[in-house]
Amino acid sequence: MPNPDLCLEALSALTGCKVESTTRVSQLGPQDIVNVVALREFYKQEGLKELDYPSIGTLSLENVETMDMYSSPPALPEPEESYTTSVKINIQDFFDPQYDYDFTNIKDGGMTFMRGNEQYFRPCGWNRAALHVTKKYDGGDRWLGTGNDAWPVSYQGYNMDGAQGIILARDKNPDDEPSFLEAGAASLVTEKTRGKGVYSTPSIQTAEKYCKTFKSKVDGKRYKVLLQNRINPEKRNKCQREDVWVVYIPEGSTDIQKRAIVQESIRPYGLLLKQV
């Protein structure tokens, strides 16, 4: 497992909260992390300035830098300058080191991997700290498997959900920065994908363009951070751009309904770190 204190810093960067260690019961579990990441960006889409979340309370959305949807996100400021809310997690219960996997020096080349009838683009170049999510959900752990009934893999970055421009992006070259179509050329293909929602991507390269970067207090180095998730194929909608998926949240949904939609649709299982 990567340095536990480094993982806490990465969770802080993702959630916008100061995440600290405790030997007691965690205030947040892995599912809460993806809920907070998704909902805070969705609420920013809605133009709201606060997010109320159980066990956290009111989380300000104003103390995080604003992202220009037509450019790559800036680096995260120093934690003390950004975090006004603190939460505590029990590292031993939160992480599951037996499933850690260091992809830092791995290159898949032409190899193809599948998860739930979708191609799985492994996070080569990243180090994964596994989250403790086995035996946590009704229906068993088939969603986390490798067979046809498993859920596909998606990646989520802090800025992805709030970047409405991502759904209009088309890369001329995989190594280029995204170029954006005119906003009028809406690229959503079904009625259910029109409107605001929670965005993720099966492409680790696309996710990296929208991830958070933070400077560690542990070693003074800079890291990128992402969540590696499984996404419910029945809840996920594909945008016209194939490397963007959206879970639509209907207009008028209550806070409880929004949280339930995220929980039914996206389950995290890995915290990804990459040294810049």
Side-chain angles (χ1 to χ4, degrees), residues 5-38:
D5 290 332
L6 177 61
C7 290
L8 292 176
E9 290 178 330
L11 291 172
S12 298
L14 278 171
T15 61
C17 304
K18 180 65 175 179
V19 181
E20 301 173 308
S21 176
T22 182
T23 57
R24 300 181 178 181
V25 177
S26 297
Q27 287 180 266
L28 297 179
Q31 183 63 53
D32 293 305
I33 296 297
V34 76
N35 289 355
V36 170
V37 172

Side-chain angles (χ1 to χ4, degrees), residues 3-4 22 75-77 98 121 125 132 144 188 239:
N3 185 296
T22 182
L76 185 74
Q98 64 177 315
F121 299 96
H132 190 190
L144 196 54
L188 298 174
C239 297

